[in-house]
C-alpha cells in the first residue's frame, strides 16, 4: 500500500468549542511519514441530508430561502436533514412536501456529495423528483418559501442568476443536467 493511502493515526480528539448547533473538535494526527498536525473539525455526524431537484412537466421547481450566513435570499432546490432511520427517498418526499407543498410519485438517486471534508463529515444525497402532486406537510421553516418555476430546457441559465450560487445547488444542477440530457434522447 502506498504511504499516502494509509490513513493518519489519530492520537487525541478534544472538544474545543460548543454551541447550540455545533461542536468543534481539535484532532491530533500523525501521518504515515511521521509528520504530526493538529486540525480542527466539526464533530462528525452520521446524519445525512437530501437535496431534491423537482421536475414539474417541463420546469424545475426551485425555492427562494433566506440564508443567515450570507444575510440574503438564495434561489435553490429544496433540501433538509434526514431523520434518524429515515430512507433517502422518504426524506426527499417529506422535505419536498414541507418546503414546496408538493409530493412526488417517483424519485431517482443521482449522487451523494460531501462538503468541505477537511472540516465536515456531512453527506448530502441528490435526487430527482417526478410526478409531482399537491401535498403539504408542516415543516420547520420560519416563513413560507417562495416557489420559482424554471424552464428545464434553460436549466444551465440558472448559473447566470446572482442568487443561484450555493455550491450544492450548482452541483445538483450539473447532475440533473447530465441526467436530463441522457433521458430526453
Amino acid at each position: 500500500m502506498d504511504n499516502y493511502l494509509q490513513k493518519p493515526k489519530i492520537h487525541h480528539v478534544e472538544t474545543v468549542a460548543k454551541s447550540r448547533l455545533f461542536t468543534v473538535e481539535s484532532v491530533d494526527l500523525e501521518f504515515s511519514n511521521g509528520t504530526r498536525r493538529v486540525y480542527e473539525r466539526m464533530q462528525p455526524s452520521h446524519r445525512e441530508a437530501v437535496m431534491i431537484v423537482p421536475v414539474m412537466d417541463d420546469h424545475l421547481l426551485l425555492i427562494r430561502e433566506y440564508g443567515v450566513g450570507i444575510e440574503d435570499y438564495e434561489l435553490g432546490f429544496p433540501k433538509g436533514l434526514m431523520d434518524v432511520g429515515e430512507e433517502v427517498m422518504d426524506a426527499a418526499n417529506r422535505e419536498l412536501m414541507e418546503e414546496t407543498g408538493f409530493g412526488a410519485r417517483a424519485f431517482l438517486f443521482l449522487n451523494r456529495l460531501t462538503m468541505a471534508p477537511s472540516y465536515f463529515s456531512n453527506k448530502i444525497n441528490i435526487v430527482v423528483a417526478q410526478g409531482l402532486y399537491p401535498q403539504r406537510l408542516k415543516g420547520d421553516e420560519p416563513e413560507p418559501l417562495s416557489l420559482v418555476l424554471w424552464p428545464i430546457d434553460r436549466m444551465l441559465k440558472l448559473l447566470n442568476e446572482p442568487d443561484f450560487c450555493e455550491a450544492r445547488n450548482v452541483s445538483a444542477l450539473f447532475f440533473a443536467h447530465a441526467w436530463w440530457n441522457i433521458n430526453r434522447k
Side-chain angles (χ1 to χ4, degrees):
M1 176 185 268
D2 292 327
N3 283 344
Y4 69 90
L5 296 178
Q6 184 178 341
K7 289 184 181 180
K9 179 180 179 184
I10 297 175
H11 287 286
H12 182 69
V13 177
E14 176 183 357
T15 297
V16 294
K18 194 169 186 145
S19 76
R20 182 177 58 85
L21 297 175
F22 303 108
T23 300
V24 179
E25 295 179 336
S26 171
V27 183
D28 180 6
L29 298 174
E30 181 177 348
F31 290 84
S32 61
N33 64 2
T35 302
R36 285 189 70 165
R37 291 283 191 275
V38 176
Y39 290 93
E40 287 187 352
R41 69 177 183 197
M42 301 301 288
Q43 184 179 52
S45 168
H46 299 292
R47 285 184 70 188
E48 294 187 7
V50 291
M51 178 173 278
I52 307 99
V53 180
V55 177
M56 181 180 281
D57 301 319
D58 56 353
H59 287 79
L60 299 175
L61 179 62
L62 297 110
I63 59 171
R64 195 174 310 278
E65 186 173 24
Y66 186 74
V68 70
I70 60 170
E71 297 180 8
D72 209 349
Y73 285 87
E74 177 79 13
L75 182 63
F77 298 112
K79 63 192 164 307
L81 281 175
M82 295 171 56
D83 291 336
V84 175
E86 193 174 32
E87 297 294 323
V88 171
M89 301 314 178
D90 293 332
N93 207 27
R94 176 183 52 76
E95 285 293 338
L96 186 63
M97 290 180 204
E98 288 176 2
E99 295 193 0
T100 69
F102 289 93
R105 290 184 178 85
F107 291 91
L108 175 70
F109 177 82
L110 294 181
N111 211 317
R112 178 177 289 124
L113 303 174
T114 60
M115 180 185 72
S118 293
Y119 303 103
F120 301 103
S121 65
N122 305 53
K123 294 179 177 73
I124 191 163
N125 299 278
I126 310 297
V127 301
V128 169
Q130 294 179 287
L132 301 187
Y133 59 91
Q135 182 70 50
R136 178 162 301 281
L137 286 178
K138 183 171 174 27
D140 59 0
E141 287 73 32
E143 65 180 354
L145 302 178
S146 299
L147 300 181
V148 175
L149 284 173
W150 190 273
I152 202 164
D153 62 350
R154 293 183 53 239
M155 72 170 73
L156 290 185
K157 296 288 184 192
L158 276 167
L159 299 171
N160 298 328
E161 294 297 307
D163 60 347
F164 186 88
C165 55
E166 195 265 332
R168 295 172 300 171
N169 284 309
V170 171
S171 295
L173 180 70
F174 280 115
F175 283 118
H177 184 259
W179 163 80
W180 179 251
N181 282 333
I182 289 169
N183 288 295
R184 71 177 176 173
K185 293 179 180 177

